[in-house]
Amino acid sequence: MEASACYATLLAFRDSHVGDSEHDAISTQLPIQPTGRSFIHHASQALFSAVALLSRLFVTLPRIDMHFSPFAALFVLASSVTAKQCLNITVPVSISARNGVFNIPTLQGNADATTFAQNLTSIRGNFTQEALLGYATVAGTYDISVKFCKPDRENGTNPTVQVLTHGLGFDKTYWDLPFNDYNYSYIDIAVDHYGFCTLSIDRLGEGNSSKADPLSVLQAPAEMSALYELTMMLRNGTLPNVPQAFSKIVHVGHSFGSALSYLLAIEHPTASDGLVLTGFSQNASFLSATVASWDSKLARLNQPLRFGNISNAAVSEALSPLSNLTERIASSLAPYNVTSGEILQYLQTTDIGDLLAGLQPTQLPKMADLPSGYLTWTDAGSNQFAFLLPEFFDPSILQFAESSKFPYTLGELLTIGGIPLMAPMFKGPVQILTGRQDAIYCGGDCLATGDPALASIPAKSQMAFPMARTFEAYIQPDTAHAINLHYNSTGAYNVIQRFLTREGLAPS
C-alpha cells in the first residue's frame, strides 16, 4: 500500500431484551462539539506525527499474525457459556453456477471504487446490463465455514434445523453476536428456548470460508449454489460431523442472505420447508441511496490491518510511541476546550477508527491481502446510516460492529438486483420480518406504502409466493436494517420462532 494512500485515508477530516415491546431505557451518545477552524487545524497538527508513523507501518511491515493495541477501550468483545452445544466445521462444497461476465476494470484505488459506485447508482441506465458481456458457468470446490448448534438436551426424534445466512457486511456471528455477553444471540433463542438446531454459515468468500474472485465468482448465483449444496447435505445426512438427516429444514436469511434464500426457493423450490426473510422486501428503489451512503472503499485500504497485507513483526514496538494518544492529543488541544472523550469519539467514528481495527486481540477471521474487488463502507457513520436506528441501539454496538465488519464484493453488488421477482413453485410458509425504519428496503418507513390497501412495503411480496401455504409480513417496531443489533432484537427472534411453531416446523 502506498504511503500517499495511507495519508489520504487518514487525513481526510470529515467538516432487547424485552420481548415484543420496545426497550424503555434509551442510551445516547453525545456528539463531538467542534470549536471552529482552529480546532480542525490544531487537531490535524496534533495527529500528524501519529498518522505519519502509521503510514510508514503500512508500507514496511510484513503480514499480521497477532494483534496488539493501546486502544483497547475502542473495541470490546465478550464471551459466554450457554446451554447450546455447537461445533465449528469446515465443509468442502462443490458449486456450479451460471454467473455473469462483467466488463469491469480492476480497481486500483479508492477513487476507482467511487467511480464504480457512481456508475452503479446513476439513473442514466442499468449499469449492470451495460457492463454485462454474457454468462459463464463457474464451478469449483470451496471450503465453507459453518457452525452447527443443537440443544443441550434434544427432545423428540424429528428435529428441525434452521439454516442461517448473513447479509453484506457481516459474517455468521451476526446470528450469535458476542457483544454484551451474547445477549443479542439469535441462536441462543432458537436453540435454548425453542429447541431448534441451527447451521449458521459464512457465505462463500466471507469470514472463515474460502476467498474467491470478487467479480467473476462471488455473485448471487454462485453463493446460492453453495447454500443449496449445504442444504442437501443436511437433508441427506452427509454434513461432516453431523450424523443426522433432517426432514425439516428452514432457511432464515438477513438482507443479501434473505435474497439468497429467496433465490434458493426459486431455483430449488423443494429444498426448503419454510422461509424467513429478515431485512428484506422486493422494493429496490432505495438500494442506490444505500450504495451512495456507504462511500465504498477498497477493504484492504479501509481496514488494512484486517484486510490488507500488513504484518505484525514490529507492530507493538512501532506503536509504542502512540501510547496514551488520546490524552496527549487532548492535552495539546486544551486551549480549545477539547476533551479526551471528544478525541476518543473522533478516533472511533471516522475512518481513523477503521484504520486501527485489527489491533485489538480478537477471534475474528483473518481475511488478509484481499483483492481490490472486495469493498466496504467508509466508517461508523455510514454503518449507522444504513443499519441502525438512533436511540434504539447501544452506542457501543456501533463501534463493535464497525471494528468487526466484513467486506462485500463487486459481483454481489452487480447481481443483487438480478434475482427474479417470483417464486412460483415454493409451497412452504413464508415470513418476511423487516424493521419498520429499514432504510435499505423501505426508505426509512416500511409502513409508508402510499396505498391504504397495502399494509406495508414487505407485504407486497405476497404476490411473489402464489403457492405458499402461509405468507406473513411482520414489521418490527423501532428497528432499522440490522435487526439483530437493536435493543429489541430478541422480540423479533421470538416472533420468528412462534411463526415456525404455528406452521408445524418446530422440532417434534
Side-chain angles (χ1 to χ4, degrees), residues 242-296:
V242 181
Q244 170 77 52
F246 291 88
S247 62
K248 293 186 291 185
I249 301 176
V250 175
H251 288 82
V252 183
H254 173 250
S255 193
F256 187 69
S258 290
L260 296 179
S261 300
Y262 173 57
L263 182 58
L264 176 74
I266 296 172
E267 299 291 337
H268 307 282
T270 62
S272 183
D273 298 294
L275 289 179
V276 177
L277 310 177
T278 73
F280 182 79
S281 82
Q282 290 179 290
N283 189 328
S285 302
F286 314 106
L287 289 178
S288 290
T290 299
V291 173
S293 73
W294 281 349
D295 187 19
S296 293

Side-chain angles (χ1 to χ4, degrees), residues 4 11 13 17 32 40 79 135 149 162 187 202 206 221 245 360 393 469 471 479 490:
S4 59
L11 295 178
F13 275 76
H17 321 308
I32 295 176
I40 296 297
S79 63
Y135 296 91
C149 296
Q162 298 184 24
I187 293 177
D202 280 340
E206 294 294 336
Q360 173 73 15
F393 66 90
R469 183 171 79 229
F471 179 88
T479 302
T490 54

Side-chain angles (χ1 to χ4, degrees), residues 42-62:
H42 287 83
S44 301
Q45 295 300 316
L47 283 170
F48 185 80
S49 60
V51 168
L53 175 57
L54 288 171
S55 298
R56 290 195 297 273
L57 272 174
F58 300 153
V59 177
T60 60
L61 292 180

Side-chain angles (χ1 to χ4, degrees), residues 57-252:
L57 272 174
F58 300 153
V59 177
T60 60
L61 292 180
R63 176 174 180 162
I64 265 186
D65 296 309
M66 298 174 58
H67 303 290
F68 169 82
S69 175
F71 304 103
L74 291 178
F75 312 116
V76 179
L77 294 174
S79 63
S80 72
V81 177
T82 66
K84 64 182 183 289
Q85 296 181 9
C86 295
L87 181 65
N88 290 303
I89 313 168
T90 299
V91 184
V93 174
S94 295
I95 69 166
S96 180
R98 182 175 180 263
N99 273 12
V101 178
F102 293 102
N103 180 25
I104 303 292
T106 300
L107 306 187
Q108 300 296 326
N110 285 332
D112 291 339
T114 300
T115 299
F116 172 80
Q118 288 176 300
N119 290 329
L120 189 66
T121 59
S122 174
I123 64 172
R124 73 171 187 274
N126 187 325
F127 180 66
T128 297
Q129 289 298 321
E130 293 173 5
L132 182 66
L133 300 177
Y135 296 91
T137 298
V138 173
T141 300
Y142 298 90
D143 288 338
I144 303 298
S145 178
V146 305
K147 182 177 182 179
F148 178 79
C149 296
K150 66 178 184 178
D152 186 42
R153 296 181 180 179
E154 294 183 84
N155 297 318
T157 59
N158 191 15
T160 301
V161 61
Q162 298 184 24
V163 181
L164 311 177
T165 307
H166 63 86
L168 301 185
F170 297 93
D171 73 340
K172 63 179 177 287
T173 60
Y174 176 80
W175 305 103
D176 198 25
L177 208 66
F179 179 80
N180 193 21
D181 199 26
Y182 290 85
N183 282 328
Y184 292 75
S185 173
Y186 176 92
I187 293 177
D188 279 1
I189 298 296
V191 176
D192 293 340
H193 294 199
Y194 290 86
F196 288 95
C197 298
T198 61
L199 186 78
S200 51
I201 71 173
D202 280 340
R203 290 186 290 101
L204 175 61
E206 294 294 336
N208 282 317
S209 291
S210 294
K211 311 308 172 284
D213 187 280
L215 178 61
S216 64
V217 176
L218 296 180
Q219 301 178 18
E223 294 185 38
M224 187 278 290
S225 177
L227 177 60
Y228 171 74
E229 295 300 331
L230 288 168
T231 301
M232 290 300 99
M233 291 180 190
L234 289 169
R235 186 75 76 187
N236 299 327
T238 57
L239 187 75
N241 300 312
V242 181
Q244 170 77 52
F246 291 88
S247 62
K248 293 186 291 185
I249 301 176
V250 175
H251 288 82
V252 183

